[in-house]
Amino acid sequence: MTTPYHYPDLRGYRDLTDDQRRSWCQKHKLKHTGILDIFHIKALEVDGLLCAIIPAWNTAAPRQLKCPVAWAYAPIYGDEINLRRLPLLPYSQPGLVGLGQLAGDGCSQKIIVTQGILDSLRAVSGGFTAICPTEEKAFWHCGLDRFIREKTVYIIADRDETGERFNRDWSKTLAQAGAEKVFMARLPYPVQFENGKTLGDFLDEGGDIHLLLDKAAPYEPDSSPIPETPDYRTIVDDTLPQTLAQTFVELSPARYYYYRGQWVKFEQGRYELIDTDALRRDYGAIQMRLWLRRLQRKAMIYERIAVTRRRTIDALLCLASLPGVAVAERDQAPPFWLDADLFQPDPRQVIILQDGLLAVTPTDIEYIPPTGNLFALRSLPVSYDPDAVCPVWETTIKALCQESVPVLQEFMGSLLTSRNRFPKLLLLIGSSPGDKEILGTAIHTLVGHAHCTTVPLASLSTQKGVRRLEGKTVALINDTNLPASRAARRRVLDYLDTISGQVSDRPHVRLVFRLESLRQLDDDLSSLAERFVFVHLSPDSEGGDIDVPQELPGILNWSLQGLQRLFDRGAFTETAAAMKMRRWLQERQRPMQAFVRQCCKLGAQEKVKMLDLQRAYRLWCRRHGHQAVSRKRFRRELKGICGNIRFQRFIYPDKHNLTTAVGIALVNQ
C-alpha cells in the first residue's frame, strides 16, 4: 500500500458493490448492510488503490454537518475491507464519525462514544446510537452541545493505557458539555488479547452490551475517574487482576508485604526482601494451582492462562493495594510494630533471631516468641540458648586482643541491633592476616553473610559504591587508599563522617578497617580520630582454629553481654592503648599539637623568643617528616592550641626589641 501525498478528488467516490457490502458486514459481524448507509461509507480510488471512505465531520466547523471535510479510509483487498487501522487522508482535520445520527430524528436517548470506528459500527448494529473520534487529537466543539443535552452518554474505551486516558478525558468533556448523565463502562481485562481488548472483542466472546451499560459507573468529577472493573461474566472472573491477586494471597503459604517500592516475604517466622523475579515465580506456581482448582470445579475455561509479563504486572499492582499487603509509608525505618501496643518493647532494641525475638535492656534480656507483628527486614542466622557458652572463642580472643577484649565485645554487641545508637568505625590493627580473618569470619557468621560485604575505600566516592552498602550491616575494608582527586577524597570523608557521627534510628552500615599498622592509615583519615574504636591484636598470639558455627549461640551470648554494658555506660570502653593511638592520630593531623606536647612547657611565668620557637618548630618538622607552616599560621595555630599564651615585645640585654611568646617555653631552653 502506498500512502497518497495529495488531497484526492472527492468527486470520484462511488458506492460499494453489493458483494463488497455483504462480505464486509459478514466479516465484522454486522447484522445488516444498512449500517453502511448510516455511516455513508463509500469507495474511492486513490492513486490506483481502491479504498473505503468513511466521512468524519470536522469539529472545527460543526454547523457544516452536511459538508464533511475530514475522511478516514482503508484499502479494500478484493471483496474485503480492513478497517482495523484507519489513518486520515493528508491535510484533513481530526473529526468525529457518526455525527449524522445525532442530527437525525431517530437519535435515541442513550449515546455511546467508542474509541474505534469498528466498535461504533458494532454498537449501531446492536440498535444503539454510537459515535467515535477519528484519532486521539479529535475534540468536542461547543457547537455540538445541543445534540447531547438531556441525554445519557456512555463511554466505552479499549482496555489499554490509551483507553484509560480516552475514558477519563471524554467523560470530563461531555459532562461539561451538558450531558444529563455520563457513565464509564469498563471492559473486562483481556485474557487472550495482549494488545488490549476492544468492544468488538468483548462481543465476540459472547458479551452483552446491555449488561455492559447496566454495570457502568457514573462519572463523578470529585472522585477517581477510573472505576473498578465489575465482573461481567463468570467465564472471565478468574482472569481479572483483582481476582488473581486475591487468589494468590489465599493460596500462598507465605505472606507478602509491599513497603516503599520493595516486596517483602514473611515465611518461617522472619521477613525477607525478594525481587520481582522471585515474586513472579511464586505467582506462576499459584497460577498452576488455580488452573487445577478450576479443572476440579469444571469451569467453562480449561486452558491454562499464560503468566505473561503484562498479566503479572497488573496482578502485582492489585496485590500491592490489597488490605493487609500494603504497608503504609512511615517516617520510622524498620523494625516497627505493625499493630503498636503500649506494653511492647522498643523495636529499636529488639534483636530478631531465627527462633524468636530478644528485648535487651541494661539489666535484663527478655525472650519473645516469633511473631509477624514486628516488621523487620533483617534477622540474625542464629538461635537463642541462654545457657550456651563459647570457651574456645573466649580463650582465643583473650590471647588475640588482650586488653581490647571489652571493646571488641561491645562492638559485636552493637551489630545485633538495627539502631545506629553508637556510630563508630572499628580499626583492627595486627600484623597477622590470619588473626584478622578469624574476627572477620566471626562477624560474618554472626550477622549473616547476606548482610556483610567487602569494599575498597576508594569506591565510596561514587554513588554506585555507596549503593552497594545499602541494606548491609557490616562492610570490611582491607585498605585505606583514598582517591587521588581532591573532590573524591572529600566525598569519602563526608560519607564516613555521616555514618559515624550521627545517632540515627535508621540502620547504617558499620565499617571495619583491617590494617597491619596504624601508619597505614591515610593522613586525611586522621581527622576522624574521634570516630574510631581501636582493637590492637597481639603480634605474639597464635590464633588457632575456631569452629564458629558450632559456638555461634555462645558467641551471641558473649556479644549480648557487651551490648548490655554498652547500654549501661553509653559509650565504648577506652583502653590505654586506644588513647595512645587516638592521640597519635590527632597529632598526625595537627603537628603543632605534637610539637607543643614534646618540645614545650606551659606556665604563666614562662616565655620564649618567637624566633627561637619557630626555629625549634622547623627543626622538629624536618626531623619528623612534617611540612612547616608559615609564620602567620604558626602564631594562629599556637594560639588555638595554647589559649592562655600572649605575644608581647620585650627589650633584651642586647638591646633588641623582639616579639616574645608569654606562657610557653622550650623544654631545653
Side-chain angles (χ1 to χ4, degrees), residues 547-561:
D547 191 356
V548 175
Q550 183 178 358
E551 295 199 347
L552 193 57
I555 296 176
L556 174 64
N557 294 336
W558 181 81
S559 302
L560 287 173
Q561 297 175 9

Side-chain angles (χ1 to χ4, degrees), residues 309-479:
R309 179 179 179 86
R310 178 173 178 176
R311 292 196 185 103
T312 302
I313 292 175
D314 284 342
L316 296 186
L317 289 176
C318 294
L319 176 65
S321 61
L322 290 179
V325 174
V327 180
E329 295 287 340
R330 305 188 182 208
D331 296 334
Q332 183 181 7
F336 53 79
W337 299 101
L338 295 178
D339 296 327
D341 190 355
L342 294 177
F343 301 99
Q344 292 170 341
D346 187 356
R348 298 169 297 181
Q349 297 182 0
V350 174
I351 301 173
I352 301 95
L353 306 177
Q354 283 186 338
D355 58 345
L357 310 175
L358 291 180
V360 182
T361 62
T363 58
D364 188 23
I365 298 178
E366 178 187 359
Y367 174 78
I368 303 175
T371 176
N373 190 25
L374 182 63
F375 185 83
L377 304 180
R378 169 180 173 266
S379 61
L380 302 180
V382 59
S383 301
Y384 179 63
D385 182 6
D387 300 327
V389 294
C390 49
V392 179
W393 167 261
E394 292 183 2
T395 303
T396 305
I397 290 303
K398 187 175 295 184
L400 281 177
C401 303
Q402 297 180 355
E403 65 173 356
S404 300
V405 171
V407 182
L408 180 64
Q409 188 179 21
E410 293 166 358
F411 185 82
M412 292 184 65
S414 68
L415 301 179
L416 303 179
T417 61
S418 60
R419 184 186 181 188
N420 197 19
R421 184 177 175 182
F422 308 99
K424 291 292 183 180
L425 308 174
L426 177 63
L427 279 183
L428 290 178
I429 304 172
S431 58
S432 175
D435 297 343
K436 291 178 288 186
E437 189 64 28
I438 291 175
L439 299 181
T441 303
I443 292 175
H444 268 254
T445 309
L446 178 63
V447 177
H449 295 283
H451 302 287
C452 298
T453 184
T454 302
V455 296
L457 183 61
S459 65
L460 302 182
S461 62
T462 62
Q463 291 294 332
K464 181 179 180 181
V466 173
R467 281 196 297 267
R468 289 181 56 186
L469 303 183
E470 293 180 358
K472 302 296 182 181
T473 304
V474 179
L476 301 179
I477 298 177
N478 297 324
D479 67 275

Side-chain angles (χ1 to χ4, degrees), residues 12 24 86 94 172 273 311 465 524 545 616:
W24 187 70
L86 296 172
K172 180 179 179 181
L273 279 174
R311 292 196 185 103
D524 289 342
D545 296 331

